[in-house]
Amino acid sequence: MKMWILRHGEAQNRARTDAERELTAKGREEVLTSAAHLMGRPLRWIIASPYVRAQQTAELVRQALGFADSVVTVPWLTPDTDPRKVLQNLDLYASDDVLLVSHQPLVGSLIGLAVHGNLQQAEPMHTAGLAELEADFPLAGAMTLVGVRHPG
């Protein structure tokens, strides 16, 4: 399986709640830059956090790629989710290539857990940063980090 992890683009500093923060114009540009690196990839799923900025990011990617299916929204991709829970939930998608759209600190911790098997070696991820990982199964310490791209 290949797994891409995309942090949402730059978002507003303030909103009524953190979950309601929207992408800025710069954030939308960042996302489209990262989406270009996914062109031609055999994605089967785009899975996103329910937070507005992640939903907007996922939808921009979906449109840029001409991805026919809907974005799958899940409650286990919010900023403070335990990365171990994400890996457990990914068992359902283990035979497919997936794009996860989420937030810090989750994305950095998830990459660290997937590659190093622990939560002490989080990967720094800028807004709209895109990480590519691969493995036979999404298991802690069993995935290889192919690379990380940051827009700009």
Side-chain angles (χ1 to χ4, degrees):
M1 95 175 278
K2 283 221 181 221
M3 178 171 67
W4 289 271
I5 299 173
L6 178 62
R7 182 180 175 196
H8 63 80
E10 179 188 84
Q12 301 168 323
N13 288 328
R14 297 186 187 274
R16 210 161 39 99
T17 66
D18 182 46
E20 294 176 75
R21 291 173 46 216
E22 295 188 19
L23 292 179
T24 63
K26 177 185 176 190
R28 287 189 290 279
E29 290 175 26
E30 290 174 335
V31 170
L32 293 174
T33 298
S34 290
H37 298 292
L38 293 166
M39 295 287 187
R41 304 295 185 148
L43 285 179
R44 176 62 190 97
W45 303 96
I46 297 176
I47 306 170
S49 157
Y51 285 25
V52 171
R53 60 193 180 272
Q55 288 289 305
Q56 292 173 325
T57 296
E59 185 58 27
L60 281 169
V61 171
R62 191 187 74 73
Q63 290 175 9
L65 299 179
F67 190 79
D69 292 328
S70 298
V71 171
V72 176
T73 302
V74 297
W76 43 266
L77 282 177
T78 56
D80 297 321
T81 299
D82 185 328
R84 292 171 287 234
K85 183 176 182 182
V86 175
L87 288 182
Q88 289 169 354
N89 281 290
L90 283 175
D91 280 348
L92 299 171
Y93 306 94
S95 62
D96 295 316
D97 291 349
V98 300
L99 169 64
L100 304 179
V101 181
S102 189
H103 318 263
Q104 280 289 55
L106 176 61
V107 293
S109 297
L110 177 59
I111 295 166
L113 178 64
V115 174
H116 304 292
N118 63 61
L119 299 174
Q120 286 73 47
Q121 297 178 54
E123 182 71 28
M125 292 291 285
H126 302 289
T127 54
L130 178 67
E132 179 181 353
L133 296 95
E134 60 185 11
D136 292 332
F137 298 99
L139 299 171
M143 299 195 81
T144 300
L145 180 61
V146 176
V148 178
R149 295 179 183 270
H150 296 284

